[in-house]
Amino acid sequence: RSTSVKQSSLSFFYVIPLGTNGGLDENNLSSYLLTSVNNSIPNSAYISLDGGTVRHGIEIAIKQQSLPLNTDKEMFIREQIKAYLISHGHLDHITGFLINTPNDKSGKFIIGLNQTIKIIRDHYFNNQAWADFGSTGLKTYDYQILDPLSTISAPIVNTDLDVRIFRLCHTCPFLSSAFLVSRRNQPSASILYLGDTGPDDVEKIIQADNTTYSPRYLSQLWKEMAPLVAANQLKAIFIEVSYPNGRPDHLLFGHLTPNWLLKELNVLKSYHSMENVKIIVTHIKPENGAREKIIEQLSRADALHFNFVFPQQGQAIWL
Ligand SMILES: Nc1ncnc2c1ncn2[C@@H]1O[C@@H]2COP(=O)(O)O[C@H]2[C@H]1O
């Protein structure tokens, strides 16, 4: 079973995976360039969803001809990546972005939850771990803090894209987030990018009186996505599967397996058929044939309701 991610006259978005794995290989960490497509031509203004591997991913993308062969990677980073949307502050989602900050062009925004921006300010841009390229220092970047309780999308400056944020649990109560990125201009369309997340049934906070509380952020997210799926506006969901089945729940560290992913996606499918939404599987931990196992585990009968895509570094995806 294969799902086409090739160019079509009906494409709304162009995605270049700069890094697809969940850790271990520093050359291939979570990062996805996204731009809108009009008349089959990708717009030159990209955003970066997470920033794990940046420069090396662009080199691979040029080799794969997902970017023109004469692309100058330095110029591309400076001129064509307009904003970094960071799902959470873990190093594997931000390290490539950080390393490239000294040569970046000013006037860009780092976009995320208040909690994520605080990690960047306090732990990276603190003149100890790294120079302060933020708004309190060298001012290369400004911070765009998004409110997860707002139902309105915010513009991403210098692009034709808008964004809305949602909270996720990644070892509760540590927060990660999901971005709903939408085209501002007609025809409208959206993609949903999730940072790391554990399953609702596993992510629990133990309270002071020893009772547990489950925020169930994924179930809230699926409820919000259902109308977009029904309207055929949601083109893709980028969601993680870090480990193959069999990983015990207490060793998930805030991640999903194929079984947990299917359990979550079936909640969304209970609202509407998912046949028109591509499910782009991110963040596989590159160990012990995990990728092959996960692909196999997501091809079983109960997975056939979903169009899974397994992205490869540098290989473009048209949505
Ligand atoms: N308790 C733990 N023991 C060992 N490894 C851990 C533990 N918690 C987190 N990790 C690892 O630290 C990583 C941080 O990034 P990830 O969440 O992608 O994946 C996490 C695991 O690989």
Side-chain angles (χ1 to χ4, degrees):
R1 205 163 56 97
S2 72
T3 298
S4 173
V5 288
K6 299 214 158 52
Q7 182 175 18
S8 106
S9 56
L10 296 174
S11 295
F12 295 86
F13 295 102
Y14 186 68
V15 176
I16 306 175
L18 298 183
T20 61
N21 287 349
L24 300 187
D25 179 1
E26 73 271 20
N27 282 327
N28 195 0
L29 298 171
S30 296
S31 186
Y32 296 84
L33 292 181
L34 176 81
T35 191
S36 62
V37 171
N38 292 296
N39 303 321
S40 303
I41 299 170
N43 190 311
S44 64
Y46 287 79
I47 61 167
S48 185
L49 293 155
D50 280 329
T53 296
V54 176
R55 179 177 295 246
H56 179 71
I58 293 169
E59 277 171 25
I60 302 286
I62 295 168
K63 283 196 188 121
Q64 306 255 7
Q65 302 190 29
S66 298
L67 288 169
L69 281 171
N70 63 356
T71 303
D72 174 334
K73 57 183 183 292
E74 194 87 32
M75 286 276 281
F76 183 89
I77 293 172
R78 284 174 59 81
E79 302 294 337
Q80 288 186 247
I81 303 181
K82 303 294 187 184
Y84 287 88
L85 284 64
I86 305 295
S87 67
H88 64 296
H90 279 167
L91 279 168
D92 57 320
H93 293 254
I94 197 169
T95 185
F97 157 68
L98 286 174
I99 295 291
N100 281 286
T101 48
N103 279 5
D104 209 354
K105 188 177 173 181
S106 61
K108 300 184 185 181
F109 282 89
I110 304 170
I111 303 175
L113 287 176
N114 190 29
Q115 287 88 340
T116 307
I117 300 296
K118 187 167 167 17
I119 290 168
I120 294 170
R121 296 173 77 132
D122 293 355
H123 299 292
Y124 305 131
F125 286 170
N126 59 9
N127 292 315
Q128 295 176 72
W130 201 248
D132 180 4
F133 286 96
S135 52
T136 51
L138 296 161
K139 300 190 196 314
T140 306
Y141 307 95
D142 216 332
Y143 300 111
Q144 185 174 357
I145 293 171
L146 299 178
D147 177 0
L149 301 181
S150 168
T151 56
I152 301 165
S153 290
I156 304 174
V157 297
N158 297 322
T159 74
D160 59 356
L161 303 170
D162 293 330
V163 62
R164 198 180 147 191
I165 204 164
F166 300 86
R167 285 172 293 187
L168 299 173
C169 265
H170 178 36
T171 58
C172 232
F174 181 73
L175 286 181
S176 167
S177 54
F179 297 107
L180 179 69
V181 180
S182 308
R183 290 167 56 111
R184 191 175 309 129
N185 303 325
Q186 293 301 318
S188 64
S190 304
I191 63 96
L192 180 72
Y193 174 87
L194 287 86
D196 297 2
T197 180
D200 274 359
D201 287 347
V202 173
E203 292 288 339
K204 295 187 174 116
I205 301 172
I206 300 168
Q207 301 180 106
D209 63 359
N210 251 354
T211 58
T212 58
Y213 162 73
S214 309
R216 305 199 74 79
Y217 289 136
L218 282 172
S219 121
Q220 293 176 40
L221 180 62
W222 304 142
K223 199 180 273 183
E224 297 266 9
M225 290 305 108
L228 292 180
V229 177
N232 204 11
Q233 282 200 12
L234 191 66
K235 301 302 167 192
I237 298 175
F238 294 70
I239 187 164
E240 72 134 277
V241 176
S242 291
Y243 302 112
N245 289 332
R247 182 100 180 172
D249 290 349
H250 72 279
L251 295 178
L252 285 177
F253 308 136
H255 293 295
L256 299 174
T257 60
N259 282 345
W260 278 118
L261 173 66
L262 289 172
K263 186 158 188 200
E264 290 296 345
L265 288 179
N266 274 310
V267 177
L268 182 50
K269 190 170 116 348
S270 72
Y271 295 103
H272 196 275
S273 156
M274 297 285 292
E275 61 190 357
N276 293 328
V277 186
K278 297 201 169 69
I279 308 295
I280 300 176
V281 177
T282 66
H283 208 267
I284 295 175
K285 298 254 181 200
E287 45 195 31
N288 299 332
R291 183 181 163 87
E292 293 69 29
K293 282 185 203 157
I294 287 170
I295 291 173
E296 198 264 320
Q297 290 164 0
L298 288 175
S299 356
R300 290 183 194 155
D302 56 340
L304 294 178
H305 304 290
F306 304 102
N307 294 313
F308 290 109
V309 175
F310 298 91
Q312 295 270 18
Q313 187 174 38
Q315 286 185 13
I317 300 172
W318 297 82
L319 296 170

